[in-house]
Amino acid sequence: MYFGGVDSTSMIRSSSITICNKMSLLLPMESLLSGDTKAIDFVSRLCEAGTTGEARKSALTQALTSLDSEYAARFSDLSIRKKELQDSKYKYENLTDIAESLGHLQDSIDDNRRQLKHSETSLTSTGNVLEYDAAKTRSHKLIQIITARIQYDRAKEALKDSDGEEPAKRLAYIIDLQNAHETLQTHLSTPALNTELEELKDGFLAWQGAALVFAIQQADYTKLHEIQKIYQSLARQEEFTGIFRRVCSSRLKDLDLSNIDTIQNLFATLNREVEYILEHYLTVIRRFKNEKEASAILNKAVAEGLENLDLSAPLSSMVGEHEDPIGLCSFINNSFNDYHERIMRDESKAKFVDLIGIIKEKALKNIEAPIRSAFTNIALNKLNGLELKGSSHRQHVENLNTFLTETVQLLEDIIVKSSNLFGEQKAVNVYKHALERFLDNLSTKLKSWEYYKSSTGQSRSVDDIFIVCSSSGHIVHALQEVKKLAENETYKLNLKPFTRFNTQCCDRILKRVAESVVEKMRDSIHSIKKEETDDTHTRSLPLFSISPHEYMTNAAQDLLHLFHKFEQFFLDDNFINAFHVALKKKMEGDEILKSIIADISGRVVADFIDTVGEVNALRHSHAKQFLVDTTFLKDALFDLRYDNLEELTKQEEKLKKIVEKK
């Protein structure tokens, strides 16, 4: 039989074999061994008669699919079991390693137990050794203390019995005391013995101190070495150096200045003594100290000597008697600068350059008070020569201007020279007393100066007051220059008394100028108003036919003349400065002149209106005349660049109404 072009019997046979093989894999081993024939029975049923090939094929296919699924499930389960077996194997191997490690650990614990038992057996013998060593140490320490104490007492007794013996033997006894004391001090606290030993050293070295001073002064190097070794053996090296330093400083402290009569000789003597110390004593001390230590000792010695040297009395006397204290400041400053250069040129002395500052500081400290007093006397003596009272007014003003020029130069020299010598900050304490005393006295003198009156008590002319105003501007300008030079962050100079004096001068000149114009005008107006009858001629004339009164034309001419005079004085910088300060406004020359014109014009207008008085009470002819005068004054002031004409305009309107009404 054929099925689909294939022999169906062959296909069935092949499928049957495959099924049998599959089932043999799926069935348990004991089923196969017991002769389980399920697969054979299944194939035999397919071969029974009456079953078509298509049905057989389908059955075989289903059976095969079912077997494949079951086979895959069985295979997966076997893989999982295989992995579990491998994991179990690894765990077993790890357990084997742990077991070996535990074995090694057990061996180590056993070794430690054996060593511990061995240590327990030897512990008793070790403790005995330690106790023996401690006892031996204590015994040795006790022996040292007893021996040192015996040595100290023997040396002390020997020293007491050594009066009259050679100093070398007495020194040996003290050294024995010192050695014994050092041993005792390492084990015990012995304050009483410390004090006793130092007192014994002091007693012995008291004899050496005088010899040391003499050896230093004579530069006896052999003796100095002997004494230095004594001090060194007794641990008194610092005391040796201290005595050397005191010898040097005493030379300066005890310096005889009684025969020195000038500042020049004083500083020459100081320089000579300091240079001697640097040359002679440096040579000596370098035998015992290195260069750096020797220089430090001498620097300190000179500083101590200068600190204890009293220069105040001789310096006060010399400065007071000096004819030029300002020049003296320059001389002292130049002397220190020259000394500094001379020291720096000598390499062997350059390391002592700090001494220049020490000497200068000492001198300045003692010279500050006498210099301050001298500056004050100079300034006040200069001021005493200024005379402002007397008959010659213009000569006094000229003398004031000359005085200001010379005095400003003097004050500037005081400030500059003292600043160069003392330094800008410290110099303030030197010159401020002179400045303040001078300014106080000058202010008092200016307040008492009645420059606006003659010796007979009459008012001075406008020209006389003009020149005073110029001098006032000169005073303020000059003192402002001094103020700039003298002031710093901590010191301010007060010039308010002089600015007030200047303001009074400017106000007085404005008032006097206006007064010179209105005094004649005021008399004429009063004369017109006193006329009891009305002027019929004036009353009948039209306004344009009436001329300004003579007093008004004269007043206008005077104003014009005075304003021209102001313009001339404005060529003087001091005059401009006076009004610039007085007005307290930032104005230039033309603006200041315009302000002055406005001030004087305002004064004239106010006085004119006040003198004319109540216009309604005027006679008709008087009102006409004053109207013409008002218009004329208004035009004249307008020509002079005075633009504040409101009051005159009001006056003009009032007069017009009266004239038109009558």
Side-chain angles (χ1 to χ4, degrees):
M1 179 184 299
Y2 292 93
F3 180 77
V6 181
D7 188 353
S8 59
T9 305
S10 301
M11 185 185 67
I12 292 171
R13 185 182 296 112
S14 175
S15 298
S16 300
I17 294 171
T18 300
I19 291 172
C20 291
N21 291 334
K22 293 275 186 179
M23 291 185 72
S24 64
L25 291 173
L26 295 175
L27 291 173
M29 182 60 66
E30 52 272 17
S31 297
L32 294 175
L33 293 175
S34 61
D36 193 342
T37 59
K38 289 182 179 180
I40 298 173
D41 293 340
F42 174 75
V43 174
S44 297
R45 284 196 301 270
L46 289 178
C47 296
E48 291 178 356
T51 305
T52 62
E54 191 69 29
R56 292 175 181 171
K57 179 179 178 183
S58 176
L60 286 172
T61 301
Q62 291 177 357
L64 183 60
T65 301
S66 176
L67 288 172
D68 285 338
S69 298
E70 189 176 356
Y71 174 79
R74 295 287 183 90
F75 184 78
S76 175
D77 183 59
L78 290 174
S79 299
I80 291 172
R81 292 189 178 185
K82 179 180 179 182
K83 186 175 183 304
E84 290 176 351
L85 289 174
Q86 290 178 344
D87 291 341
S88 298
K89 178 182 179 182
Y90 294 148
K91 290 179 180 180
Y92 175 76
E93 292 176 353
N94 290 336
L95 289 173
T96 303
D97 294 337
I98 292 172
E100 292 179 358
S101 299
L102 289 173
H104 293 312
L105 179 60
Q106 183 64 42
D107 294 340
S108 177
I109 290 172
D110 293 340
D111 291 338
N112 288 334
R113 284 178 177 174
R114 285 192 296 271
Q115 292 179 5
L116 182 59
K117 289 181 179 181
H118 179 73
S119 298
E120 288 177 357
T121 56
S122 62
L123 183 60
T124 303
S125 59
T126 302
N128 294 335
V129 172
L130 293 175
E131 290 178 2
Y132 172 77
D133 290 341
K136 182 179 179 181
T137 301
R138 288 194 298 271
S139 300
H140 180 70
K141 178 180 177 180
L142 185 59
I143 291 171
Q144 285 183 327
I145 292 173
I146 294 172
T147 303
R149 185 65 198 194
I150 294 172
Q151 180 184 354
Y152 185 91
D153 292 338
R154 287 177 178 176
K156 182 179 177 181
E157 290 297 325
L159 184 62
K160 287 181 180 180
D161 299 336
S162 65
D163 291 340
E165 294 186 7
E166 292 293 329
K169 288 186 177 180
R170 300 184 75 247
L171 175 62
Y173 296 145
I174 295 176
I175 292 175
D176 288 342
L177 280 172
Q178 181 174 265
N179 294 335
H181 179 263
E182 289 177 356
T183 302
L184 291 172
Q185 212 171 18
T186 58
H187 304 296
L188 303 173
S189 175
T190 57
L193 294 182
N194 293 348
T195 303
E196 182 181 50
L197 177 61
E198 295 303 321
E199 289 176 352
L200 293 172
K201 288 183 181 181
D202 292 339
F204 178 79
L205 292 177
W207 296 94
Q208 302 296 324
L212 175 58
V213 172
F214 184 77
I216 293 172
Q217 293 172 343
Q218 299 298 319
D220 187 345
Y221 299 125
T222 302
K223 188 64 176 177
L224 281 172
H225 275 292
E226 293 177 1
I227 298 174
Q228 190 265 342
K229 288 181 179 178
I230 292 174
Y231 277 87
Q232 186 175 7
S233 63
L234 297 181
R236 292 288 187 92
Q237 187 64 27
E238 290 299 322
E239 184 176 337
F240 174 82
T241 304
I243 293 175
F244 198 102
R245 187 179 67 251
R246 288 194 294 273
V247 170
C248 298
S249 63
S250 296
R251 184 179 179 89
L252 281 175
K253 182 186 69 174
D254 301 332
L255 187 63
D256 184 12
L257 303 176
S258 59
N259 296 325
I260 299 176
D261 56 355
T262 65
I263 293 287
Q264 292 88 336
N265 291 338
L266 174 63
F267 285 112
T269 302
L270 284 177
N271 292 340
R272 184 171 59 252
E273 287 299 315
V274 171
E275 288 189 359
Y276 176 82
I277 291 174
L278 300 184
E279 293 175 359
H280 174 75
Y281 290 109
L282 180 63
T283 303
V284 175
I285 199 170
R286 278 193 302 199
R287 298 294 185 97
F288 311 100
K289 298 287 184 179
N290 59 42
E291 189 76 17
K292 184 177 180 180
E293 291 175 339
S295 301
I297 292 171
L298 288 185
N299 269 323
K300 189 172 182 180
V302 172
E304 290 176 354
L306 291 173
E307 182 65 27
N308 296 317
L309 178 62
D310 184 13
L311 295 176
S312 57
L315 282 174
S316 298
S317 176
M318 294 172 193
V319 173
E321 296 173 359
H322 202 281
E323 60 183 10
D324 182 17
I326 299 176
L328 179 62
C329 287
S330 297
F331 168 78
I332 295 174
N333 193 47
N334 293 335
S335 297
F336 282 120
N337 291 337
D338 293 341
Y339 187 41
H340 181 273
E341 292 178 1
R342 190 166 69 253
I343 287 289
M344 294 304 295
R345 285 195 298 267
D346 189 344
E347 294 183 359
S348 64
K349 299 177 182 177
K351 55 183 168 293
F352 298 108
V353 69
D354 291 341
L355 290 180
I356 301 173
I358 297 173
I359 297 173
K360 185 175 182 178
E361 183 179 357
K362 174 67 176 181
L364 296 184
K365 183 178 179 180
N366 286 271
I367 208 173
E368 180 179 322
I371 287 287
R372 180 170 55 246
S373 178
F375 284 167
T376 303
N377 292 335
I378 291 173
L380 295 181
N381 289 337
K382 185 69 177 178
L383 180 60
N384 291 335
L386 176 64
E387 184 57 54
L388 297 176
K389 295 181 179 181
S391 57
S392 181
H393 174 74
R394 288 184 175 270
Q395 185 62 45
H396 290 326
V397 175
E398 185 177 342
N399 291 341
L400 174 60
N401 291 330
T402 303
F403 165 81
L404 287 172
T405 301
E406 294 175 354
T407 303
V408 167
Q409 184 61 52
L410 174 68
L411 296 178
E412 288 180 348
D413 286 344
I414 288 175
I415 295 170
V416 172
K417 301 302 182 183
S418 57
S419 297
N420 291 340
L421 180 60
F422 292 91
E424 292 185 1
Q425 294 296 329
K426 292 183 178 180
V428 173
N429 294 327
V430 178
Y431 62 69
K432 75 174 183 179
H433 186 258
L435 287 181
E436 292 171 357
R437 287 286 305 278
F438 171 82
L439 294 178
D440 288 343
N441 289 6
L442 177 60
S443 174
T444 302
K445 183 165 287 196
L446 291 176
K447 286 179 181 178
S448 64
W449 182 29
E450 296 180 336
Y451 57 88
Y452 47 89
K453 290 182 181 180
S454 65
S455 58
T456 59
Q458 296 178 341
S459 297
R460 292 195 182 277
S461 66
V462 173
D463 289 346
D464 286 343
I465 301 178
F466 262 114
I467 61 175
V468 174
C469 192
S470 176
S471 294
S472 175
H474 188 187
I475 292 173
V476 173
H477 175 72
L479 295 183
Q480 284 175 337
E481 293 300 313
V482 174
K483 178 182 175 73
K484 291 178 184 178
L485 197 61
E487 287 187 341
N488 56 33
E489 295 178 355
T490 59
Y491 178 63
K492 303 298 178 184
L493 202 59
N494 181 22
L495 299 183
K496 288 183 179 180
F498 302 97
T499 57
R500 283 196 295 267
F501 174 80
N502 176 78
T503 301
Q504 292 170 359
C505 284
C506 293
D507 187 64
R508 192 173 293 278
I509 189 65
L510 296 177
K511 183 179 180 180
R512 186 67 186 89
V513 167
E515 184 67 24
S516 68
V517 174
V518 301
E519 58 186 357
K520 297 177 182 178
M521 183 176 67
R522 191 184 300 124
D523 293 339
S524 297
I525 293 173
H526 285 309
S527 297
I528 293 172
K529 290 173 66 177
K530 287 180 181 180
E531 296 175 358
E532 296 181 358
T533 59
D534 204 355
D535 188 352
T536 56
H537 177 71
T538 302
R539 184 184 181 91
S540 62
L541 290 175
L543 284 174
F544 62 83
S545 299
I546 301 175
S547 300
H549 199 281
E550 183 181 0
Y551 79 85
M552 184 55 71
T553 57
N554 290 338
Q557 289 176 0
D558 289 342
L559 280 174
L560 182 61
H561 172 71
L562 290 170
F563 292 158
H564 285 315
K565 186 180 289 292
F566 269 104
E567 288 179 339
Q568 293 175 0
F569 269 94
F570 261 69
L571 299 175
D572 181 2
D573 291 337
N574 289 325
F575 191 84
I576 295 175
N577 186 65
F579 278 93
H580 179 79
V581 174
L583 293 173
K584 299 179 181 179
K585 296 179 181 179
K586 294 182 179 179
M587 293 183 178
E588 300 299 330
D590 291 340
E591 294 176 322
I592 294 175
L593 180 58
K594 185 178 180 181
S595 178
I596 292 173
I597 292 173
D599 188 283
I600 296 173
S601 299
R603 292 172 187 262
V604 172
V605 169
D607 192 273
F608 171 71
I609 294 174
D610 184 64
T611 306
V612 171
E614 179 58 45
V615 296
N616 292 323
L618 296 174
R619 299 178 184 276
H620 185 270
S621 61
H622 297 167
K624 252 188 179 183
Q625 184 62 56
F626 289 144
L627 175 59
V628 172
D629 294 343
T630 300
T631 303
F632 181 81
L633 178 60
K634 180 181 175 182
D635 294 339
L637 293 176
F638 182 78
D639 292 339
L640 292 173
R641 298 185 296 176
Y642 179 67
D643 51 8
N644 188 15
L645 301 172
E646 294 180 3
E647 295 300 322
L648 277 180
T649 302
K650 291 178 181 180
Q651 179 84 341
E652 187 179 32
E653 294 296 329
K654 291 178 182 179
L655 291 170
K656 280 183 180 180
K657 289 180 181 180
I658 295 173
V659 170
E660 291 173 356
K661 181 178 179 182
K662 295 181 179 180

